[in-house]
Amino acid sequence: MTLETISITPRPRRPRPQVVALSPAAAERVREIIARSEHPVAGLRVGVRNGGCAGQEYVLDYAEVADPLDEVVVDQGVTVLVEPSAVLFLLGTVIDYEVTRLSAKFVFRNPNQTDACGCGESVTIQPAEAPDA
């Protein structure tokens, strides 16, 4: 009896969906703000936290370093660091930047968002279904 060498080839992984994307206006605005920063910036940190009258709020901040568990997305030359706990809430989201006569703000176009409060400060988000392996 002889022993044969068995070679196990891992199956190819499907491409992972990009968690978030930036509109051209948002990417340009983030680059402008980062360029004026007095501290080094590794990227834009995006998350979701509990709060507000609708239950959840989007959180944007500038990160000096990436957390090892962050989902890293590079879009239009901007690095976006998505907090691990927010990935399923933000899957498929486009972050835009709108300027109107009365305000200038980042806007989240999130397919998982089911409701928002009247003032627009908080939202209700259902987590996306995890893709099949």
Side-chain angles (χ1 to χ4, degrees):
M1 176 175 211
T2 63
L3 292 175
E4 294 181 35
T5 304
I6 298 175
S7 175
I8 299 175
T9 306
R11 67 181 180 161
R13 292 190 64 152
R14 291 185 305 176
R16 291 174 59 173
Q18 183 171 310
V19 177
V20 297
L22 298 171
S23 72
E28 180 59 31
R29 183 64 180 142
V30 171
R31 282 192 295 270
E32 288 171 2
I33 294 170
I34 288 175
R36 292 185 302 186
S37 175
E38 295 177 8
H39 305 284
V41 176
L44 175 67
R45 183 173 311 285
V46 180
V48 175
R49 71 173 179 215
N50 291 333
C53 51
Q56 295 164 302
E57 300 171 328
Y58 295 112
V59 180
L60 290 174
D61 200 359
Y62 296 96
E64 292 183 15
V65 295
D67 185 287
L69 298 177
D70 285 340
E71 181 77 20
V72 179
V73 176
V74 179
D75 190 21
Q76 300 181 59
V78 175
T79 301
V80 180
L81 307 170
V82 181
E83 295 175 354
S85 62
V87 169
L88 289 179
F89 291 102
L90 296 175
L91 197 59
T93 297
V94 175
I95 302 172
D96 196 6
Y97 183 73
E98 290 183 346
V99 178
T100 67
R101 292 176 57 181
L102 299 176
S103 69
K105 60 185 176 181
F106 287 98
V107 177
F108 287 72
R109 306 209 190 288
N110 186 342
N112 307 304
Q113 182 177 316
T114 59
D115 197 12
C117 68
C119 67
E121 293 295 319
S122 66
V123 294
T124 303
I125 310 168
Q126 296 297 318
E129 294 291 324
D132 294 334

